């Protein structure tokens, strides 16, 4: 009986000791173990741009000196070029996004080049926009204007090119 | 007894092993399905957008002038030693100083093409002498005070003049040329 009790006590002690040893090592493992965790976020109401119309300076006649055709963001045509005709129009696009969130608009800061089928060129510069910089849930339209630089005795022809507009949340 | 002790130990160890089997590697839980779907669509996370626009422009040809028909002048015996025929303002009506005209008179006609409604200037030689004692002068046109291209991109107008020659000029068919310059304003 004595032997039996001793054995039982010994077994329990061994179990307890094993438990103690196991928890200690496990605690050590948790203290030093490292891993990486992904941090993810979802931005609701992304800013969205929709094309409305391209820019067109219409027609103009060359002069002995350099002249210009200007189109304001609201489509008003000006400049000292002679013989302006056709249907000039500003570029237009719409913006929608998180209501009330401000945004910045990036227009070309260097002249863009227009090229004719014969390889002659003109430049477009001075880009302007009437975007108000505040997003709305519903799409709101804005215009982009610029200045066409016609060279002295510019060669006749149809000229074309392109430019980019970027809108970003602040 | 030995058998009994081993069984108890095994049972005890098993019990503790179950309790201590929780993961200890610090690994994070996986994202839920909704977040994973949002991440899979990059557009839904965009904070900026770029739009490309086309730009176009047309440069028209400069003014183009085309000769249509010549000026024809016939002599008039004015009776005072001079022969003259005046075409008034290029409208093909012959004014006469005195005696009746001989033969028809016709103003020169020309066409100018350019941008619709574009104004232009007309410059004509003041006088052109064909030969000694015979010259054409007093040029005029009927394009108006402010000549301009029509809505169709062209305009045709006449140029008249006065022929003056000395009485001693022989009967002959004379011909000559005059310069008409059209330019942008």
């Amino acid at each position: 009986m004595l032997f039996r009790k001793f054995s039982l006590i010994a077994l329990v002690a061994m179990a307890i000791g094993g438990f103690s040893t196991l928890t200690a090592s496990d605690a050590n493992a948790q203290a030093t173990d490292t891993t990486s965790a992904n941090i993810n976020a979802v931005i609701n109401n992304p800013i969205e741009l929709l094309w409305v119309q391209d820019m067109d300076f219409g027609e103009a006649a060359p002069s002995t000196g350099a002249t210009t055709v200007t189109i304001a963001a609201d489509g008003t045509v000006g400049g000292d070029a002679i013989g302006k005709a056709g249907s000039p129009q500003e570029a237009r696009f719409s913006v929608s996004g998180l209501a009330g969130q401000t945004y910045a608009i990036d227009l070309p800061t260097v002249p863009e080049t227009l090229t004719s089928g014969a390889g002659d060129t003109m430049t477009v510069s001075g880009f302007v926009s009437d975007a108000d910089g505040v997003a709305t849930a519903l799409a709101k339209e804005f215009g982009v204007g610029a200045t066409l630089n016609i060279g002295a005795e510019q060669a006749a022809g149809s000229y074309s090119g392109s430019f980019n507009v970027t809108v970003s949340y602040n | 007894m030995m058998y009994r002790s081993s069984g108890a130990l095994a049972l005890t160890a098993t019990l503790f092993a179950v309790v201590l089997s929780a993961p200890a590697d610090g690994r994070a839980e996986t994202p839920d399905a909704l977040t994973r779907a949002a991440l899979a669509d990059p557009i839904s996370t965009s904070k900026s957008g770029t739009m490309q626009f086309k730009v176009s422009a047309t440069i028209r040809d400069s003014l183009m002038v085309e000769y249509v028909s010549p000026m024809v002048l016939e002599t008039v015996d004015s009776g005072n030693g001079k022969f003259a025929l005046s075409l008034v303002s290029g409208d093909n009506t012959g004014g006469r100083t005195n005696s009746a005209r001989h033969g028809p008179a016709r103003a020169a006609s020309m066409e100018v093409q350019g941008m619709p409604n574009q104004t232009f200037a007309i410059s004509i030689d003041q006088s052109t002498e064909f030969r000694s004692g015979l010259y054409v002068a007093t040029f005029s046109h009927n394009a108006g005070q402010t000549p301009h291209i029509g809505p169709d991109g062209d305009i045709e107008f006449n140029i008249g003049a006065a022929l003056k020659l000395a009485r001693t000029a022989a009967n002959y068919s004379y011909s000559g040329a005059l310069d008409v310059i059209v330019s942008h304003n």
Side-chain angles (χ1 to χ4, degrees):
Chain A
M1 289 176 80
L2 185 62
F3 175 76
R4 207 179 277 177
K5 288 182 181 178
F6 174 79
S7 298
L8 179 60
I9 293 172
L11 287 171
V12 172
M14 289 171 61
I16 294 174
F19 173 80
S20 301
T21 301
L22 183 60
T23 54
S25 61
D26 183 56
N28 289 334
Q30 289 182 341
T32 59
D33 192 13
T34 59
T35 185
S36 62
N38 295 327
I39 301 176
N40 305 306
V42 175
I43 300 175
N44 295 319
N45 300 103
I47 198 163
E48 293 185 354
L49 275 68
L50 289 178
W51 173 90
V52 176
Q53 66 184 34
D54 291 320
M55 183 181 289
D56 184 0
F57 285 94
E59 302 174 352
S63 298
T64 54
T67 56
T68 62
V69 178
T70 61
I71 298 179
D74 63 358
T76 303
V77 178
D80 59 353
I82 58 175
K84 290 190 286 292
S87 302
Q89 63 181 29
E90 76 283 16
R92 296 195 67 79
F93 65 100
S94 68
V95 178
S96 65
L98 181 62
Q101 176 64 44
T102 61
Y103 62 84
I105 179 170
D106 292 328
L107 302 173
T109 56
V110 296
E112 299 287 348
T113 299
L114 305 187
T115 306
S116 72
D120 300 299
T121 61
M122 291 189 291
T123 61
V124 177
S125 60
F127 290 86
V128 294
S129 174
D130 57 4
D132 59 12
V134 180
T136 55
L138 297 179
K140 187 175 180 181
E141 271 194 28
F142 301 104
V144 178
T147 297
L148 174 67
N149 303 299
I150 303 174
E153 300 183 351
Q154 185 74 43
S158 296
Y159 294 74
S160 63
S162 64
F163 67 94
N164 291 338
V165 173
T166 299
V167 176
S168 306
Y169 280 135
N170 288 328
Chain B
M1 276 190 238
M2 290 297 294
Y3 176 77
R4 190 181 296 175
S5 297
S6 297
L9 177 61
L11 176 62
T12 304
T14 302
L15 288 174
F16 282 112
V18 169
V19 171
L20 298 175
S21 65
D25 58 1
R27 190 171 303 163
E29 295 182 358
T30 55
D32 58 51
L34 180 60
T35 302
R36 189 179 304 113
L39 292 173
D41 181 6
I43 296 178
S44 67
T45 64
S46 176
K47 60 171 290 185
S48 68
T50 298
M51 181 67 63
Q52 183 179 75
F53 295 92
K54 295 180 181 178
V55 188
S56 57
T58 300
I59 300 298
R60 292 286 299 270
D61 289 325
S62 300
L63 291 173
M64 294 185 296
V65 181
E66 184 176 351
Y67 161 82
V68 178
S69 59
M71 182 185 299
V72 178
L73 299 168
E74 298 292 335
T75 61
V76 172
D77 182 358
S78 62
N80 58 357
K82 294 183 179 180
F83 294 84
L85 176 65
S86 176
L87 298 173
V88 180
S89 298
D91 62 358
N92 276 326
T93 60
R96 56 188 183 186
T97 57
N98 280 306
S99 303
R101 296 161 46 199
H102 293 277
R106 186 171 65 246
S109 178
M110 54 199 316
E111 180 182 11
V112 176
Q113 296 178 346
M115 298 194 66
N117 304 314
Q118 177 185 357
T119 60
F120 60 91
I122 301 173
S123 176
I124 311 174
D125 291 343
Q126 291 303 306
S127 68
T128 299
E129 184 175 20
F130 292 100
R131 59 174 293 163
S132 178
L134 185 145
Y135 58 97
V136 179
T138 319
F139 292 98
S140 62
H141 63 78
N142 65 345
Q145 291 289 336
T146 307
H148 60 277
I149 306 295
D152 295 333
D154 63 1
I155 181 174
E156 187 172 321
F157 59 91
N158 299 330
I159 295 177
L163 171 66
K164 298 183 178 181
L165 68 154
R167 181 181 177 82
T168 56
N171 292 331
Y172 198 73
S173 178
Y174 301 92
S175 65
L178 61 93
D179 291 332
V180 177
I181 300 173
V182 175
S183 58
H184 290 291
N185 285 334

